[in-house]
Amino acid sequence: MLSIVSIILGALIGSFLNVCILRLPKEESIITPGSHCPSCQNPIKFYDNVPLISYILLKGRCRHCRSAISFQYPLIEGITALGSLILFLKFGPSLSYLVYFAFLASLIIITVIDLHHQIIPDVISLPGIGVGLLASLIIPQIHLRDSLIGIVSGGGSLFVVATLYQWLFKREGMGGGDIKLLAMIGAFLGWKAVLLTILLSSLIGSMTGIIIMVLKGKDFKYAIPFGPFLSLGAVISLFYQNEIIFWYLRYRG
Ligand SMILES: [Zn+2]
């Protein structure tokens, strides 16, 4: 029963994340005005704004002007609902569930905004560092010391990589946004997960880069935003860090 509540809560929050994704890069208010169709500007009524369900009932089109509604909306709502359910099944009805759900929601916003605009909004990552640090005081999964080392190692390691990269190649490879994002990830997950996140995101990121180069024939300077890979690495670390570290320690020799 509570699992169903976590799915509904996830879909509702997902709907709010869509608003953040659309408006944060334009520095618009995320509260007012209410949602409106980007084509005809007609306000969207509450009964047309039910996460996932309205999209299906309206067959993906605006009620007034019939222009297509981006598939991104139901996609984000679906992913957020699923993420909420998985976290609920892992942590149960607890503060830990709420903390990690807030963390996941931030990563979803950051990923989509970085994909569209190649920026990671400070307004998410900087407060995120503080929230992660505070959370380490109240949830049993992480201790304050681990969170602090996570912030320093996360932000610090990327800062060193970014500086080296700039010095070697004379151009910016990684932005300050990535550095603040990894500091936030460190705050929530601790330093071990930071190392794992760097490893996983570099691995997945470079494989994706090679695939894109082969498929599109773009050269190495074609910049792919790194934020989505850091976020993906962080989500994998959140769910599987114990299993991966255990597996590594068991099979390394
Ligand atoms: Zn419309």
Side-chain angles (χ1 to χ4, degrees), residues 61-80:
R61 297 192 170 275
C62 168
R63 183 182 290 278
H64 303 283
C65 66
R66 312 299 303 158
S67 64
I69 304 166
S70 166
F71 186 65
Q72 188 177 302
Y73 292 96
L75 184 67
I76 300 292
E77 287 157 1
I79 289 174
T80 314

Side-chain angles (χ1 to χ4, degrees), residues 155-178:
S157 55
L158 263 201
F159 179 76
V160 170
V161 171
T163 311
L164 270 177
Y165 188 94
Q166 197 153 22
W167 180 69
L168 279 172
F169 298 102
K170 307 289 176 215
R171 65 191 173 81
E172 197 173 296
M174 237 170 287
D178 297 314

Side-chain angles (χ1 to χ4, degrees), residues 48-94:
D48 282 341
N49 214 359
V50 183
L52 293 167
I53 294 165
S54 290
Y55 185 86
I56 297 167
L57 290 179
L58 291 168
K59 299 190 182 73
R61 297 192 170 275
C62 168
R63 183 182 290 278
H64 303 283
C65 66
R66 312 299 303 158
S67 64
I69 304 166
S70 166
F71 186 65
Q72 188 177 302
Y73 292 96
L75 184 67
I76 300 292
E77 287 157 1
I79 289 174
T80 314
L82 183 67
S84 172
L85 174 66
I86 295 173
L87 287 171
F88 185 78
L89 294 177
K90 187 175 168 80
F91 295 108
S94 59

Side-chain angles (χ1 to χ4, degrees), residues 9-202:
L9 178 72
L12 287 169
I13 298 290
S15 179
F16 175 66
L17 300 189
N18 276 319
V19 176
C20 297
I21 287 165
L22 195 68
R23 297 190 186 177
L24 283 181
K26 295 189 247 173
E27 296 186 355
E28 289 173 359
S29 162
I30 51 174
I31 315 280
T32 53
S35 301
H36 49 84
C37 168
S39 298
C40 65
Q41 307 301 330
N42 265 304
I44 297 167
K45 297 281 188 337
F46 70 92
Y47 51 79
D48 282 341
N49 214 359
V50 183
L52 293 167
I53 294 165
S54 290
Y55 185 86
I56 297 167
L57 290 179
L58 291 168
K59 299 190 182 73
R61 297 192 170 275
C62 168
R63 183 182 290 278
H64 303 283
C65 66
R66 312 299 303 158
S67 64
I69 304 166
S70 166
F71 186 65
Q72 188 177 302
Y73 292 96
L75 184 67
I76 300 292
E77 287 157 1
I79 289 174
T80 314
L82 183 67
S84 172
L85 174 66
I86 295 173
L87 287 171
F88 185 78
L89 294 177
K90 187 175 168 80
F91 295 108
S94 59
L95 263 175
S96 304
Y97 158 71
L98 290 177
V99 166
Y100 289 118
F101 184 45
F103 177 58
L104 181 71
S106 316
L107 293 178
I108 292 173
I109 297 179
I110 286 172
T111 294
V112 183
I113 291 183
D114 202 14
L115 283 173
H116 283 304
H117 305 279
Q118 282 78 49
I119 50 159
I120 293 174
D122 284 352
V123 63
I124 302 286
S125 59
L126 288 181
I129 296 172
V131 171
L133 193 62
L134 280 178
S136 73
L137 295 169
I138 52 172
I139 60 170
Q141 281 79 13
I142 180 169
H143 298 290
L144 177 66
R145 192 177 59 110
D146 200 17
S147 177
L148 275 172
I149 301 174
I151 296 171
V152 176
S153 60
S157 55
L158 263 201
F159 179 76
V160 170
V161 171
T163 311
L164 270 177
Y165 188 94
Q166 197 153 22
W167 180 69
L168 279 172
F169 298 102
K170 307 289 176 215
R171 65 191 173 81
E172 197 173 296
M174 237 170 287
D178 297 314
I179 295 170
K180 285 170 256 181
L181 170 58
L182 197 57
M184 175 183 113
I185 293 169
F188 275 94
L189 301 183
W191 66 269
K192 271 179 270 175
V194 159
L195 293 182
L196 192 57
T197 300
I198 295 174
L199 194 74
L200 290 169
S201 54
S202 319

